[in-house]
Amino acid sequence: MIETERLIYTNERGESIEFSAYSPYFVNVSTDVTGLSDIQNTLYSSSSMGQHGETLTGQKIDAREIDIKGSINKQQKDRVLELRRAALRVLNPELSGTLTYIYKDFVRVIDCKVDNTPVFSRKKIFNDFTIQFSCPSPFWREEQDEKNDIASWIGSFEFDLEIPEDEGLNEDEIGIEFDYREPNIIVDVYNEGDVSTGMRIEFRATGTLSSPILLNMDTGEYIQINAELQAGDVVTVNTEYGSKGATLLRGGITEDYFRYVDVDSTFMQLTIGDNVFRYDAESGVDALEVTLYHSNKYLGV
């Protein structure tokens, strides 16, 4: 395993470039990259006549800027030109992408945009380059979302079966249990990130039910869908800033379902630490399964 810090940029077409001490795009991540951990917090305040000092009214963490300086560590002109062209293709400012930070088993990902095409400058030996990235959402996250199931089916597969000839067992005494329904309707979702975060809520119907609801037991906030669901329906509600909405997947077709979200619903955020949720439905609650997904967000790497 390479025990050095690495940054990998991947654009929306799936094309990637690695920046590290072992890449032809040579970068010492610890000294040649800025913006990985430092962020700016903007405070908002007000002041009245005769007031000493100011009253804090709000704050926000600004977008993140990441700058990379490095060198193409090849001297053959044909190879240098090939690497420059590849960098210009992958680092296209019109494409969205992600930066992935890797050190040993530690991995963090951030969404970003290239500010402009790489700036190359010919030095005595190598071609140097500078690349600037903008991250509208300044938070790093893990590669995979955290998943919490409520009332899902639990595997309990056992196939050993012996039926004595003369025991006289009736039908109720003979059976094989493949799985069973987990009866919990309450789940504790733990946000181990540095800031609050949105989540993705999936209401899955295994039979007919109406008006499924997810309630935050700590705050009283809830998300409710004022509609009847059929077996196989999946309603997904996203509470993440910039992605808020609701959709219905039925028969392989997805449609917008925002109009069925109860008007008093709150697009809830997960606070840092424990968040306790309970689900219910107006009818058919035994046919309801709920899954919560979220990304832990971090201020730096």
Side-chain angles (χ1 to χ4, degrees):
M1 180 181 295
I2 298 175
E3 294 189 0
T4 186
E5 293 176 288
R6 296 186 288 153
L7 281 175
I8 299 175
Y9 172 77
T10 305
N11 65 27
E12 62 187 59
R13 293 197 295 241
E15 301 167 315
S16 298
I17 283 184
E18 177 176 320
F19 304 102
S20 73
Y22 295 94
S23 169
Y25 302 98
F26 177 89
V27 173
N28 186 333
V29 175
S30 62
T31 60
D32 299 335
V33 181
T34 60
L36 297 181
S37 294
D38 45 324
I39 57 174
Q40 182 68 41
N41 187 37
T42 298
L43 301 178
Y44 299 98
S45 61
S46 62
S47 180
S48 302
M49 181 179 296
Q51 176 183 355
H52 298 295
E54 297 179 338
T55 301
L56 183 65
T57 58
Q59 65 182 54
K60 74 177 184 71
I61 296 175
D62 296 336
R64 184 188 298 272
E65 300 291 332
I66 297 176
D67 294 342
I68 297 177
K69 295 181 180 179
S71 303
I72 296 178
N73 65 351
K74 303 294 180 182
Q75 296 186 46
Q76 300 88 349
K77 187 171 183 179
D78 289 348
R79 181 59 174 149
V80 170
L81 290 176
E82 179 185 343
L83 290 168
R84 285 180 56 168
R85 286 194 293 267
L88 291 170
R89 183 184 68 252
V90 176
L91 295 160
N92 185 339
E94 290 191 347
L95 303 176
S96 298
T98 60
L99 268 178
T100 302
Y101 172 91
I102 303 173
Y103 179 66
K104 296 184 179 180
D105 295 329
F106 182 87
V107 180
R108 291 287 185 267
V109 181
I110 193 169
D111 298 312
C112 64
K113 288 276 289 184
V114 180
D115 271 355
N116 45 49
T117 55
V119 177
F120 294 98
S121 57
R122 177 66 179 174
K123 298 298 182 181
K124 188 174 183 179
I125 300 179
F126 297 130
N127 272 256
D128 289 352
F129 60 81
T130 301
I131 308 168
Q132 296 177 321
F133 296 96
S134 289
C135 308
S137 175
F139 305 114
W140 294 89
R141 54 182 168 79
E142 293 155 349
E143 287 185 288
Q144 302 295 329
D145 286 349
E146 296 285 333
K147 178 183 177 182
N148 294 89
D149 287 312
I150 320 177
S152 59
W153 289 90
I154 307 300
S156 182
F157 193 94
E158 292 188 13
F159 206 78
D160 293 336
L161 180 64
E162 182 178 345
I163 304 177
E165 292 183 3
D166 302 323
E167 289 295 327
L169 298 177
N170 59 45
E171 284 188 11
D172 293 335
E173 295 174 305
I174 302 174
I176 304 173
E177 182 178 36
F178 293 95
D179 52 28
Y180 61 93
R181 184 177 172 84
E182 170 62 53
N184 290 335
I185 60 173
I186 295 178
V187 66
D188 180 11
V189 179
Y190 189 78
N191 173 15
E192 68 174 32
D194 300 326
V195 296
S196 60
T197 184
M199 58 182 163
R200 193 169 75 256
I201 307 161
E202 286 187 356
F203 297 102
R204 294 187 303 277
T206 61
T208 302
L209 63 95
S210 65
S211 301
I213 184 173
L214 181 71
L215 172 68
N216 187 317
M217 302 288 287
D218 300 315
T219 67
E221 298 174 293
Y222 67 87
I223 285 280
Q224 180 169 323
I225 305 300
N226 293 327
E228 183 174 286
L229 304 185
Q230 307 167 8
D233 287 353
V234 180
V235 174
T236 302
V237 180
N238 196 330
T239 73
E240 187 67 56
Y241 287 116
S243 301
K244 292 180 179 179
T247 59
L248 167 69
L249 176 62
R250 174 178 288 170
I253 299 175
T254 301
E255 64 176 280
D256 183 81
Y257 227 52
F258 188 80
R259 64 187 181 279
Y260 292 104
V261 177
D262 188 87
V263 293
D264 292 323
S265 293
T266 302
F267 284 83
M268 301 175 283
Q269 304 294 297
L270 297 176
T271 58
I272 299 172
D274 295 300
N275 298 263
V276 180
F277 293 97
R278 180 182 187 276
Y279 79 90
D280 203 346
E282 188 175 283
S283 65
V285 67
D286 288 340
L288 176 62
E289 296 179 355
V290 181
T291 302
L292 307 181
Y293 299 88
H294 78 277
S295 291
N296 297 314
K297 296 179 178 177
Y298 303 94
L299 296 176
V301 296

